[in-house]
Amino acid sequence: MDQAGAPNVFVNRYTGPPRGREYERWREEMYRCTLRVDVQPGAGDSIDCKMQISLLGGILLGATVGTSAEFSRTPEILKDGYDGMCLVIATSGPVLISHEQHSIELSESQMCLGDMSVLCGTRMSSDCEVKTIRIPRSLLLTICPKAEDRLALALVDQAPIRDAIARYHTLAASIGPHADVVGQHLMAQHMVDLIGLMLGTDGDRTELANSRGHAAARLELMRADVVANLSRDNLTIYSVAQRAGLSPRHAQRMFEQTGTTFTEFLLEQRLLLVRRLLLDPLNRWRKVSDLAHSAGFTDVSYFNRVFRRRFGVTPSDLRGA
């Protein structure tokens, strides 16, 4: 099990038969001890899977890709008394879920909530990707008291919320483990709120989950969208809002509630990107105008003015220093 740039992110891969010293070590250390599940082939007589695990404020985010693996809570492992629930997301399928006496096949974008205190499992038997969110039972029941009524079902409604959960999983697994403790717990709470909204809850809790979790998650996703597309000169509140499924006015209000407008946030991120590029020795031979253009600035004179106003020096002076 290898750490991947943060103390609570781990990546591992195994390809081969379910036997031998390497397999037994991987099986014991990674799955039985750490994840509290057993692993065996999902198809044929070999395992082929890669998994990333991100620990985030009391919840565990997993992302697994491969062609053959089955993860299960066996009678022996159930003795650990772990009392958690797990949302399985079929990013690309099919994915077969077993839950006590039930079997559910998930197709792409469908989800299923499982109870990890009973016999259950997830099988990958073809090229597919599975995301999982493991949550302490008490944490989920706080926002969604009737969550247990939705166990072992193919969750196919609430498409916008399901999409937000899948996208926020990617974002949280990427940046969450690098945040401070408060930031990690906030992202974990936002994720639980999103899941509560998808499963369905009562009026007061729905309002809380919407205002606390859904709004924050959508804002973070829009911010991530901006940062990922800084080089585009046509990046606007309209394009970002459209991808987020919001009206431009609603998206603008969400930015303003944090004390900054979309335009101010976009400009700040572009300026910070150019500063990073200027300070990177690998870019020492690139023209300042090229670096500005790569960050989405189309007017070099304007770029020079706002850069000096923001950092107190010209781009050339910063590079020289």
Side-chain angles (χ1 to χ4, degrees):
M1 184 164 58
D2 302 318
Q3 286 187 295
N8 45 358
V9 179
F10 303 91
V11 177
N12 78 93
R13 178 159 198 165
Y14 181 83
T15 302
R19 63 187 70 90
R21 179 179 297 180
E22 181 182 355
Y23 163 71
E24 291 298 340
R25 178 182 176 185
W26 171 76
R27 178 191 191 191
E28 186 67 25
E29 293 182 358
M30 179 66 190
Y31 289 95
R32 289 180 167 178
C33 294
T34 304
L35 298 181
R36 297 168 175 163
V37 296
D38 203 355
V39 58
Q40 59 187 1
D45 190 38
S46 66
I47 295 174
D48 175 20
C49 72
K50 177 182 179 182
M51 175 179 282
Q52 175 176 310
I53 302 165
S54 304
L55 306 177
L56 185 67
I59 68 174
L60 185 150
L61 306 177
T64 306
V65 295
T67 60
S68 174
E70 180 174 1
F71 313 100
S72 56
R73 292 277 289 172
T74 63
E76 177 184 279
I77 294 176
L78 285 176
K79 295 176 183 178
D80 64 9
Y82 177 71
D83 189 30
M85 307 178 84
C86 185
L87 183 72
V88 179
I89 306 168
T91 308
S92 61
V95 177
L96 184 65
I97 306 295
S98 61
H99 197 272
E100 294 188 299
Q101 305 301 317
H102 302 283
S103 293
I104 309 102
E105 184 171 277
L106 302 181
S107 57
E108 185 172 336
S109 84
Q110 293 183 346
M111 303 181 181
C112 180
L113 182 67
D115 183 346
M116 297 193 67
S117 67
V118 303
L119 296 172
C120 58
T122 302
R123 177 184 293 179
M124 304 163 52
S125 56
S126 61
D127 286 327
C128 61
E129 179 178 356
V130 180
K131 293 180 178 178
T132 54
I133 306 168
R134 189 179 297 186
I135 311 165
R137 185 186 304 270
S138 59
L139 186 60
L140 182 57
L141 294 183
T142 298
I143 195 66
C144 185
K146 297 184 179 180
E148 291 166 323
D149 294 341
R150 304 297 303 276
L151 290 170
L153 300 173
L155 303 172
V156 299
D157 53 356
Q158 299 276 20
I161 300 294
R162 285 190 288 113
D163 178 65
I165 291 172
R167 293 173 59 214
Y168 197 60
H169 182 292
T170 300
L171 179 65
S174 173
I175 70 173
H178 301 274
D180 58 22
V181 173
V182 174
Q184 290 187 27
H185 279 278
L186 283 174
M187 294 194 83
Q189 184 63 67
H190 298 159
M191 180 66 81
V192 175
D193 287 338
L194 285 172
I195 295 172
L197 286 173
M198 179 188 64
L199 296 174
T201 187
D202 57 35
D204 291 341
R205 292 185 178 88
T206 298
E207 183 178 354
L208 174 62
N210 264 315
S211 61
R212 179 180 63 187
H214 196 195
R218 285 189 294 183
L219 178 60
E220 289 302 320
L221 287 169
M222 286 193 292
R223 285 174 165 173
D225 187 10
V226 170
V227 172
N229 292 284
L230 291 174
S231 61
R232 294 174 50 185
D233 56 13
N234 62 344
L235 185 61
T236 65
I237 186 65
Y238 299 96
S239 61
V240 171
Q242 183 180 39
R243 286 191 290 273
L246 301 171
S247 69
R249 185 172 182 177
H250 188 179
Q252 185 68 273
R253 283 202 304 269
M254 293 179 69
F255 276 95
E256 290 172 353
Q257 287 170 358
T258 67
T260 185
T261 66
F262 169 83
T263 301
E264 291 167 343
F265 178 79
L266 174 59
L267 176 60
E268 175 72 1
Q269 296 306 309
R270 281 177 165 160
L271 289 172
L272 291 174
L273 174 58
V274 178
R275 185 178 68 170
R276 290 195 298 272
L277 294 174
L278 285 167
L279 294 175
D280 187 341
L282 295 176
N283 295 317
R284 69 179 65 185
W285 305 116
R286 294 182 63 187
K287 295 180 180 180
V288 171
S289 58
D290 289 341
L291 298 180
H293 286 139
S294 69
F297 288 102
T298 57
D299 186 329
V300 177
S301 296
Y302 168 74
F303 160 71
N304 282 318
R305 289 197 306 273
V306 295
F307 190 96
R308 184 167 187 171
R309 185 166 65 234
R310 172 64 175 84
F311 299 114
V313 294
T314 66
S316 298
D317 289 341
L318 177 66
R319 170 180 272 176

